[in-house]
Amino acid sequence: MSDVQIAPRPDAHAYGLAPAPEALRYDWGNDEPAEVAGILHTMMPSNARVLDVGCGTGAVTLIANRGKNNELWGIEPEPERARLAGVRGIRVTCGTLDRAFVEGHPPFDVVMLADVLEHVAAPGELLERAASAVKPDGLVLLSVPNAAHWTMRLHLLYGRFDYAETGIRDATHLRWFTEKTIRALCRHCGLEVVAMRHSAGNDLPEYRRHLPWRLLPGRVRRPLVRRLTRAAPRLFGCQHVVAAKPRG
């Protein structure tokens, strides 16, 4: 396996496509059970040694591990985000998941990649590297945006694909996934998917801009979107959230 090449500061990928992204734009987490951090929390074991690859500021890391008595490690290439994750009690390395890091640490019970694979040019290599850092009976938890979400389909129907600072069309995204392709990637990387859920994405700006959604009060819209996500996850699911184990 070759050494994974990741830009030292992935936010640079947005150059010329969108305004320069704010480093702390994702410094928040939604602990609702239907959103990514809440779903990861239900998949996360307790009393585990956890490595969060691309941990950002640690906001999602902390929600996913809340009350689990886990030992938290993180890797984050953006210095400002790494500093904040460290302040929040995560043992963070400012850098990328390279061979030296994996060889220099005992295998982890859990390796997590929450909305990370879409930011790298070679997601398969990164996922293989993550799988090599987990115990044989350990767990890889990951999430990726759904490239077939209804908002994407609507924009493409009108011949539009406008990059944004955040969300599914984040200008720093280099790869795009459907449920089928993320399953295939896991399989190719020697991982068996043992659970998959889909986030509702109630915080997407389209729910405040498009009809009929913007006419609905939040107390009506949010549970409606959650129900639609359960009924048609490939259309309404904002992110695919996966739990996988090493095969063999």
Side-chain angles (χ1 to χ4, degrees):
M1 180 172 47
S2 61
D3 214 16
V4 182
Q5 296 299 310
I6 305 174
R9 301 185 72 161
D11 285 358
H13 294 150
Y15 180 78
L17 299 174
E22 164 58 44
L24 302 184
R25 65 194 184 282
Y26 288 120
D27 183 31
W28 58 277
N30 189 334
D31 60 0
E32 289 187 14
E35 302 299 348
V36 167
I39 296 172
L40 289 170
H41 183 268
T42 67
M43 295 176 166
M44 183 70 68
S46 299
N47 302 307
R49 190 163 160 269
V50 179
L51 172 65
D52 188 358
V53 179
C55 65
T57 65
V60 171
T61 320
L62 295 179
I63 293 174
N65 290 277
R66 183 178 293 162
K68 300 284 187 175
N69 193 37
N70 290 341
E71 180 182 310
L72 302 182
W73 294 69
I75 298 177
E76 170 54 44
E78 209 291 321
E80 189 174 358
R81 292 195 286 262
R83 181 195 61 78
L84 190 50
V87 169
R88 290 171 171 169
I90 299 168
R91 301 182 186 186
V92 65
T93 297
C94 186
T96 60
L97 183 65
D98 56 19
R99 185 180 294 109
F101 183 94
V102 174
E103 293 176 352
H105 295 80
F108 292 85
D109 299 297
V110 180
V111 174
M112 188 168 87
L113 304 98
D115 292 325
V116 169
L117 295 178
E118 66 273 16
H119 292 276
V120 301
E125 292 188 21
L126 177 58
L127 189 54
E128 283 186 346
R129 179 64 46 74
S132 74
V134 76
K135 294 179 179 178
D137 60 346
L139 198 62
V140 175
L141 301 180
L142 64 92
S143 62
V144 292
N146 176 19
H149 190 264
W150 72 263
T151 58
M152 298 286 282
R153 301 187 196 202
L154 181 64
H155 281 269
L156 291 172
L157 180 65
Y158 286 99
R160 294 175 54 193
F161 190 93
D162 300 323
Y163 286 102
E165 187 179 5
T166 61
I168 299 176
R169 289 175 288 109
D170 186 317
T172 65
H173 290 177
L174 302 182
R175 298 296 182 186
W176 307 89
F177 298 94
T178 64
E179 179 179 330
K180 180 179 179 180
T181 56
I182 191 58
R183 285 184 180 274
L185 183 66
C186 288
R187 187 165 56 249
H188 179 80
C189 294
L191 294 168
E192 176 188 359
V193 174
V194 296
M196 177 178 283
R197 291 181 57 191
H198 305 83
S199 69
N202 259 308
D203 293 314
L204 287 173
E206 283 84 355
Y207 286 118
R208 297 186 295 275
R209 295 174 184 165
H210 291 295
L211 293 172
W213 307 106
R214 62 186 173 89
L215 299 179
L216 300 175
R219 68 180 185 278
V220 174
R221 186 192 70 246
R222 299 182 80 84
L224 175 59
V225 172
R226 289 194 292 266
R227 287 196 295 270
L228 289 169
T229 300
R230 290 193 296 270
R234 296 179 183 179
L235 179 61
F236 282 93
C238 180
Q239 288 129 309
H240 308 299
V241 188
V242 176
K245 289 183 173 291
R247 288 203 311 266

